[in-house]
Amino acid sequence: MNKKKLLLWLSPFLLFSLYWLGIYWSLSNPMEEINYAENGGWMRYVMFKPFTETIGSDRIWKEDEGFQTYPYSDEIVGGQEELSVMMIRDSSEWVYWYEYQLNENASVRMSFKYDSVNKVFLQRNVYLYADGQTVEGSDFLKKLSTYGKGRTWLRNQSKKVAEQYILGTWFKNGSSRYSLKNLGDMKIGYYKLIEEQ
C-alpha cells in the first residue's frame, strides 16, 4: 500500500519530467530553441529566458501580434552597427537584419533567415546601400573597395554577425545546450559572394 501511495505522489513529478524531456529533445538546434523561448507553451518559462530578454529588449511578444521586429540592444551591437530580428508567430523562419554604417550616406546590409526545412541558418543577401541606391554582386565589391573594405572584411563581418551577435548572444544568455561547436542538426550557410575566392 505504501508503494502505491508513493507512486501516486510521485506520478505528477514523473509526468512533468517526461513532458520536459520530450520538449527538450524535440528542440534539435539553437534556432528551434530561440523560437520556442519566445513562442512556445507555458513550459518555455521553465526552460529558457524569453528570447526578447536575451537580446536586451524589455518588450515581450504580445499574443495578438502576427509578427514584430525587435532591435538588439546597444550592449550587444552598437556604434556603426544595427541588428534587429523580425519574429513571425507560428514560424521559426525569423529574419535577422544587419546594417554596418560606412559613412552618413553608405551602409553594408545583410540578412539571415532560418530555413526550417533544410535546417540551415542562411545568409540570404549582402549588398551596399549608397546614395539612395542598392549595389549588389561584383559591382558591390568594387564599390566596397572604395571604402577600404573587401571580401575578407565582408566574410569576417558576416561570420561575426551570425556566430557572435545572433547565435553567440543566445549561447551566452539563453541556451546552455548548444554552442558553435554543437549546432545540433543545423548548419550555417553564407551568401555565395562571401564564399567565392
Side-chain angles (χ1 to χ4, degrees):
M1 186 70 173
N2 288 339
K3 286 183 181 181
K4 286 183 179 179
K5 284 184 180 180
L6 181 64
L7 185 62
L8 191 61
W9 188 80
L10 287 176
S11 60
F13 298 103
L14 291 171
L15 289 172
F16 177 81
S17 298
L18 288 172
Y19 181 66
W20 181 87
L21 278 172
I23 292 171
Y24 181 81
W25 291 115
S26 72
L27 304 174
S28 61
N29 64 58
M31 297 312 287
E32 291 180 5
E33 278 187 342
I34 285 170
N35 181 267
Y36 186 79
E38 199 65 37
N39 276 337
W42 63 271
M43 182 64 83
R44 74 181 188 257
Y45 298 111
V46 176
M47 298 173 71
F48 304 108
K49 273 188 193 180
F51 172 69
T52 49
E53 191 177 314
T54 68
I55 65 171
S57 175
D58 58 355
R59 295 185 299 141
I60 301 298
W61 188 293
K62 294 178 184 171
E63 291 300 321
D64 60 344
E65 293 176 332
F67 69 91
Q68 185 65 46
T69 301
Y70 293 87
Y72 276 64
S73 78
D74 288 344
E75 293 174 10
I76 299 168
V77 181
Q80 300 170 261
E81 303 171 282
E82 291 181 12
L83 177 64
S84 61
V85 55
M86 184 178 76
M87 302 188 308
I88 304 161
R89 181 156 312 279
D90 299 327
S91 172
S92 58
E93 299 195 1
W94 298 354
V95 181
Y96 297 79
W97 283 297
Y98 172 78
E99 182 175 337
Y100 183 96
Q101 204 72 36
L102 296 164
N103 64 28
E104 62 278 357
N105 297 317
S107 60
V108 173
R109 299 179 182 184
M110 57 183 76
S111 68
F112 291 83
K113 183 177 180 182
Y114 176 59
D115 177 348
S116 61
V117 174
N118 297 305
K119 308 284 185 178
V120 178
F121 186 53
L122 188 62
Q123 185 178 31
R124 295 172 56 202
N125 57 38
V126 179
Y127 61 94
L128 182 69
Y129 187 77
D131 301 317
Q133 295 184 333
T134 299
V135 183
E136 299 178 282
S138 59
D139 292 337
F140 166 45
L141 290 175
K142 288 176 190 171
K143 184 82 170 172
L144 187 62
S145 68
T146 65
Y147 298 95
K149 305 200 183 300
R151 192 189 307 269
T152 301
W153 177 85
L154 198 57
R155 183 182 300 115
N156 292 341
Q157 203 65 22
S158 296
K159 288 181 178 289
K160 183 180 182 182
V161 173
E163 297 173 14
Q164 181 181 328
Y165 293 161
I166 298 172
L167 292 170
T169 298
W170 176 246
F171 300 145
K172 181 180 175 185
N173 300 332
S175 173
S176 57
R177 179 180 177 193
Y178 293 111
S179 68
L180 285 176
K181 293 182 179 178
N182 173 21
L183 293 172
D185 63 3
M186 185 185 86
K187 293 180 181 173
I188 302 173
Y190 292 97
Y191 195 66
K192 60 185 178 181
L193 189 67
I194 306 298
E195 299 293 355
E196 289 171 3
Q197 294 298 329

